[in-house]
Amino acid sequence: MARTPTTTDAFNAVAEASRRDLLDAIGAEELTVGELVDRLGLSQPQVSKHLAVLRAVGLVLVRADGRHRWYRVNGPALKPIHDWVRSFERTWNTRLDRLDDLLAELKSQEEAP
Amino acid sequence: MARTPTTTDAFNAVAEASRRDLLDAIGAEELTVGELVDRLGLSQPQVSKHLAVLRAVGLVLVRADGRHRWYRVNGPALKPIHDWVRSFERTWNTRLDRLDDLLAELKSQEEAP
DNA sequence: TCATCATATTCCTATATGGGAATGTGTCAA
DNA sequence: TTGACACATTCCCATATAGGAATATGATGA
């Protein structure tokens, strides 16, 4: 047998660094394929193909607008990864670290509402 | 080109479900290859090979003991994944959810010190 | 209607994989 | 010393990539 297809789940889709880069680039915005091509310096087919994989696992959502496609990140699709990794968090993070993390996050949300 | 090798980083190593199962099975314990074979119902070579990948990216540590090998999870190797996913956490988690999560965790640590 | 723009898809190829089967390696016990 | 035991590694093969190049699809404006 071969490797698990990239479109199987978020874990496999996100294994490829280019795809993580795409998600990072989009972030909280809504971007066009062309914009992504410019920002990441990848070829257009490359971007389209990676986006297709991300779409297949629900990691991005698209909105058609004339001949443009606006892509945005669908955060909740990452939750399975987050939840799984989280079960090992205690290994490296003490409770005080976690408290620091939370406070830092609350603060950042305070600053950027 | 082909896909990114599984031994490239934690993201790729963990993409395979069997490897996540292995980490879950080991958990906070220290287990033998034979134990893992029994618990997961995989073949011995299969377990050894998956463990080799996990070893390559530092996700597990081994201790030799006679003809046994005791494997344990090396949590911090998962931090890169945790950190990356965390940057998207705001999308699905409100601050109150996070507070609930933290309290739940503090409670569980209280109960199992 | 037609050329152009924005994306998506198809073709082609080198490559790494996961599983099964078989075998290698080191250790212990009799 | 030798056979059994616990793991690791090697071989073999079907399969799914990722990337580059080329082409298809669909919408827009003149």
mmCIF file of all heavy atoms in Angstrom, chain B residues 38-63:
data_model
loop_
_atom_site.group_PDB
_atom_site.id
_atom_site.type_symbol
_atom_site.label_atom_id
_atom_site.label_comp_id
_atom_site.label_asym_id
_atom_site.label_seq_id
_atom_site.Cartn_x
_atom_site.Cartn_y
_atom_site.Cartn_z
ATOM 1 N N ASP B 38 0.801 -6.284 20.847
ATOM 2 C CA ASP B 38 -0.396 -6.882 21.444
ATOM 3 C C ASP B 38 -1.552 -5.890 21.511
ATOM 4 O O ASP B 38 -2.673 -6.185 21.120
ATOM 5 C CB ASP B 38 -0.092 -7.388 22.856
ATOM 6 C CG ASP B 38 0.828 -8.607 22.818
ATOM 7 O OD1 ASP B 38 0.950 -9.215 21.731
ATOM 8 O OD2 ASP B 38 1.401 -8.953 23.860
ATOM 9 N N ARG B 39 -1.252 -4.697 22.025
ATOM 10 C CA ARG B 39 -2.319 -3.721 22.241
ATOM 11 C C ARG B 39 -2.925 -3.190 20.950
ATOM 12 O O ARG B 39 -4.113 -2.920 20.871
ATOM 13 C CB ARG B 39 -1.812 -2.533 23.062
ATOM 14 C CG ARG B 39 -1.358 -2.923 24.460
ATOM 15 C CD ARG B 39 -1.248 -1.700 25.353
ATOM 16 N NE ARG B 39 -0.648 -2.054 26.644
ATOM 17 C CZ ARG B 39 -0.518 -1.207 27.644
ATOM 18 N NH1 ARG B 39 -0.934 0.047 27.519
ATOM 19 N NH2 ARG B 39 0.024 -1.590 28.786
ATOM 20 N N LEU B 40 -2.096 -3.006 19.925
ATOM 21 C CA LEU B 40 -2.626 -2.407 18.693
ATOM 22 C C LEU B 40 -3.025 -3.443 17.654
ATOM 23 O O LEU B 40 -3.675 -3.121 16.666
ATOM 24 C CB LEU B 40 -1.600 -1.441 18.104
ATOM 25 C CG LEU B 40 -1.282 -0.242 18.993
ATOM 26 C CD1 LEU B 40 -0.294 0.687 18.303
ATOM 27 C CD2 LEU B 40 -2.566 0.530 19.312
ATOM 28 N N GLY B 41 -2.593 -4.693 17.861
ATOM 29 C CA GLY B 41 -2.962 -5.714 16.884
ATOM 30 C C GLY B 41 -2.278 -5.526 15.551
ATOM 31 O O GLY B 41 -2.778 -5.963 14.523
ATOM 32 N N LEU B 42 -1.116 -4.889 15.561
ATOM 33 C CA LEU B 42 -0.347 -4.730 14.321
ATOM 34 C C LEU B 42 0.745 -5.790 14.300
ATOM 35 O O LEU B 42 1.034 -6.414 15.320
ATOM 36 C CB LEU B 42 0.290 -3.338 14.263
ATOM 37 C CG LEU B 42 -0.666 -2.140 14.297
ATOM 38 C CD1 LEU B 42 0.123 -0.839 14.381
ATOM 39 C CD2 LEU B 42 -1.529 -2.143 13.037
ATOM 40 N N SER B 43 1.355 -5.979 13.132
ATOM 41 C CA SER B 43 2.445 -6.945 13.048
ATOM 42 C C SER B 43 3.681 -6.337 13.705
ATOM 43 O O SER B 43 3.798 -5.121 13.804
ATOM 44 C CB SER B 43 2.741 -7.272 11.586
ATOM 45 O OG SER B 43 3.398 -6.193 10.967
ATOM 46 N N GLN B 44 4.580 -7.195 14.114
ATOM 47 C CA GLN B 44 5.779 -6.691 14.782
ATOM 48 C C GLN B 44 6.629 -5.798 13.873
ATOM 49 O O GLN B 44 7.053 -4.718 14.302
ATOM 50 C CB GLN B 44 6.585 -7.881 15.332
ATOM 51 C CG GLN B 44 7.872 -7.481 16.034
ATOM 52 C CD GLN B 44 9.049 -7.534 15.073
ATOM 53 O OE1 GLN B 44 9.248 -8.532 14.401
ATOM 54 N NE2 GLN B 44 9.819 -6.450 14.990
ATOM 55 N N PRO B 45 6.861 -6.222 12.620
ATOM 56 C CA PRO B 45 7.661 -5.333 11.752
ATOM 57 C C PRO B 45 6.971 -3.990 11.537
ATOM 58 O O PRO B 45 7.630 -2.946 11.445
ATOM 59 C CB PRO B 45 7.751 -6.126 10.448
ATOM 60 C CG PRO B 45 7.612 -7.537 10.855
ATOM 61 C CD PRO B 45 6.617 -7.510 11.974
ATOM 62 N N GLN B 46 5.672 -4.027 11.463
ATOM 63 C CA GLN B 46 4.918 -2.797 11.256
ATOM 64 C C GLN B 46 5.163 -1.839 12.421
ATOM 65 O O GLN B 46 5.471 -0.656 12.221
ATOM 66 C CB GLN B 46 3.428 -3.158 11.188
ATOM 67 C CG GLN B 46 2.610 -2.317 10.236
ATOM 68 C CD GLN B 46 1.196 -2.873 10.105
ATOM 69 O OE1 GLN B 46 0.941 -4.047 10.401
ATOM 70 N NE2 GLN B 46 0.286 -2.046 9.681
ATOM 71 N N VAL B 47 5.045 -2.357 13.625
ATOM 72 C CA VAL B 47 5.274 -1.528 14.805
ATOM 73 C C VAL B 47 6.707 -1.016 14.833
ATOM 74 O O VAL B 47 6.947 0.170 15.058
ATOM 75 C CB VAL B 47 4.967 -2.332 16.091
ATOM 76 C CG1 VAL B 47 5.438 -1.573 17.325
ATOM 77 C CG2 VAL B 47 3.480 -2.638 16.186
ATOM 78 N N SER B 48 7.663 -1.903 14.560
ATOM 79 C CA SER B 48 9.067 -1.491 14.583
ATOM 80 C C SER B 48 9.345 -0.394 13.570
ATOM 81 O O SER B 48 10.072 0.565 13.839
ATOM 82 C CB SER B 48 9.972 -2.689 14.299
ATOM 83 O OG SER B 48 10.101 -3.494 15.455
ATOM 84 N N LYS B 49 8.740 -0.528 12.401
ATOM 85 C CA LYS B 49 8.983 0.464 11.353
ATOM 86 C C LYS B 49 8.355 1.812 11.697
ATOM 87 O O LYS B 49 8.974 2.850 11.490
ATOM 88 C CB LYS B 49 8.474 -0.059 10.004
ATOM 89 C CG LYS B 49 9.454 -1.023 9.344
ATOM 90 C CD LYS B 49 9.083 -1.361 7.915
ATOM 91 C CE LYS B 49 8.099 -2.494 7.837
ATOM 92 N NZ LYS B 49 7.870 -2.966 6.452
ATOM 93 N N HIS B 50 7.157 1.775 12.228
ATOM 94 C CA HIS B 50 6.520 3.039 12.614
ATOM 95 C C HIS B 50 7.299 3.703 13.745
ATOM 96 O O HIS B 50 7.478 4.921 13.757
ATOM 97 C CB HIS B 50 5.071 2.795 13.044
ATOM 98 C CG HIS B 50 4.139 2.594 11.901
ATOM 99 N ND1 HIS B 50 4.146 3.399 10.775
ATOM 100 C CD2 HIS B 50 3.157 1.696 11.680
ATOM 101 C CE1 HIS B 50 3.211 2.991 9.928
ATOM 102 N NE2 HIS B 50 2.610 1.952 10.446
ATOM 103 N N LEU B 51 7.770 2.877 14.671
ATOM 104 C CA LEU B 51 8.552 3.433 15.773
ATOM 105 C C LEU B 51 9.841 4.055 15.257
ATOM 106 O O LEU B 51 10.316 5.053 15.792
ATOM 107 C CB LEU B 51 8.863 2.333 16.801
ATOM 108 C CG LEU B 51 7.694 1.903 17.694
ATOM 109 C CD1 LEU B 51 8.085 0.710 18.553
ATOM 110 C CD2 LEU B 51 7.227 3.061 18.572
ATOM 111 N N ALA B 52 10.385 3.464 14.202
ATOM 112 C CA ALA B 52 11.622 4.003 13.624
ATOM 113 C C ALA B 52 11.377 5.414 13.088
ATOM 114 O O ALA B 52 12.216 6.308 13.238
ATOM 115 C CB ALA B 52 12.116 3.087 12.514
ATOM 116 N N VAL B 53 10.219 5.615 12.474
ATOM 117 C CA VAL B 53 9.882 6.942 11.956
ATOM 118 C C VAL B 53 9.718 7.927 13.110
ATOM 119 O O VAL B 53 10.241 9.042 13.071
ATOM 120 C CB VAL B 53 8.585 6.896 11.113
ATOM 121 C CG1 VAL B 53 8.150 8.297 10.732
ATOM 122 C CG2 VAL B 53 8.793 6.040 9.873
ATOM 123 N N LEU B 54 9.005 7.487 14.127
ATOM 124 C CA LEU B 54 8.781 8.355 15.290
ATOM 125 C C LEU B 54 10.106 8.699 15.967
ATOM 126 O O LEU B 54 10.305 9.813 16.453
ATOM 127 C CB LEU B 54 7.837 7.669 16.288
ATOM 128 C CG LEU B 54 6.397 7.465 15.794
ATOM 129 C CD1 LEU B 54 5.584 6.665 16.802
ATOM 130 C CD2 LEU B 54 5.730 8.806 15.513
ATOM 131 N N ARG B 55 11.000 7.727 15.966
ATOM 132 C CA ARG B 55 12.328 7.947 16.547
ATOM 133 C C ARG B 55 13.096 8.993 15.728
ATOM 134 O O ARG B 55 13.703 9.907 16.267
ATOM 135 C CB ARG B 55 13.116 6.637 16.529
ATOM 136 C CG ARG B 55 13.553 6.140 17.886
ATOM 137 C CD ARG B 55 14.452 4.931 17.739
ATOM 138 N NE ARG B 55 13.803 3.803 17.103
ATOM 139 C CZ ARG B 55 14.359 3.029 16.172
ATOM 140 N NH1 ARG B 55 15.596 3.262 15.762
ATOM 141 N NH2 ARG B 55 13.680 2.031 15.656
ATOM 142 N N ALA B 56 12.987 8.858 14.415
ATOM 143 C CA ALA B 56 13.726 9.751 13.514
ATOM 144 C C ALA B 56 13.386 11.221 13.729
ATOM 145 O O ALA B 56 14.226 12.097 13.520
ATOM 146 C CB ALA B 56 13.477 9.354 12.067
ATOM 147 N N VAL B 57 12.160 11.495 14.125
ATOM 148 C CA VAL B 57 11.770 12.886 14.342
ATOM 149 C C VAL B 57 11.722 13.236 15.828
ATOM 150 O O VAL B 57 11.219 14.296 16.209
ATOM 151 C CB VAL B 57 10.390 13.189 13.699
ATOM 152 C CG1 VAL B 57 10.460 12.978 12.199
ATOM 153 C CG2 VAL B 57 9.305 12.314 14.312
ATOM 154 N N GLY B 58 12.230 12.325 16.634
ATOM 155 C CA GLY B 58 12.314 12.612 18.068
ATOM 156 C C GLY B 58 11.015 12.534 18.833
ATOM 157 O O GLY B 58 10.914 13.064 19.944
ATOM 158 N N LEU B 59 10.020 11.892 18.264
ATOM 159 C CA LEU B 59 8.726 11.813 18.956
ATOM 160 C C LEU B 59 8.698 10.731 20.029
ATOM 161 O O LEU B 59 7.827 10.735 20.893
ATOM 162 C CB LEU B 59 7.592 11.587 17.947
ATOM 163 C CG LEU B 59 7.058 12.858 17.296
ATOM 164 C CD1 LEU B 59 6.151 12.550 16.131
ATOM 165 C CD2 LEU B 59 6.308 13.685 18.351
ATOM 166 N N VAL B 60 9.633 9.787 19.932
ATOM 167 C CA VAL B 60 9.730 8.776 20.988
ATOM 168 C C VAL B 60 11.198 8.596 21.374
ATOM 169 O O VAL B 60 12.100 8.876 20.575
ATOM 170 C CB VAL B 60 9.178 7.395 20.547
ATOM 171 C CG1 VAL B 60 7.672 7.460 20.322
ATOM 172 C CG2 VAL B 60 9.891 6.911 19.299
ATOM 173 N N LEU B 61 11.406 8.155 22.589
ATOM 174 C CA LEU B 61 12.750 7.890 23.090
ATOM 175 C C LEU B 61 12.790 6.427 23.498
ATOM 176 O O LEU B 61 11.780 5.882 23.933
ATOM 177 C CB LEU B 61 13.055 8.786 24.289
ATOM 178 C CG LEU B 61 12.968 10.294 24.008
ATOM 179 C CD1 LEU B 61 13.121 11.084 25.298
ATOM 180 C CD2 LEU B 61 14.049 10.682 23.005
ATOM 181 N N VAL B 62 13.949 5.802 23.329
ATOM 182 C CA VAL B 62 14.055 4.382 23.635
ATOM 183 C C VAL B 62 15.072 4.132 24.734
ATOM 184 O O VAL B 62 16.050 4.858 24.855
ATOM 185 C CB VAL B 62 14.549 3.576 22.420
ATOM 186 C CG1 VAL B 62 13.941 2.199 22.443
ATOM 187 C CG2 VAL B 62 14.298 4.301 21.142
ATOM 188 N N ARG B 63 14.823 3.081 25.458
ATOM 189 C CA ARG B 63 15.753 2.656 26.490
ATOM 190 C C ARG B 63 15.969 1.170 26.285
ATOM 191 O O ARG B 63 15.015 0.402 26.212
ATOM 192 C CB ARG B 63 15.142 2.913 27.868
ATOM 193 C CG ARG B 63 16.022 2.531 29.044
ATOM 194 C CD ARG B 63 15.429 3.060 30.348
ATOM 195 N NE ARG B 63 14.116 2.453 30.617
ATOM 196 C CZ ARG B 63 13.956 1.271 31.247
ATOM 197 N NH1 ARG B 63 15.018 0.578 31.634
ATOM 198 N NH2 ARG B 63 12.748 0.784 31.474
#
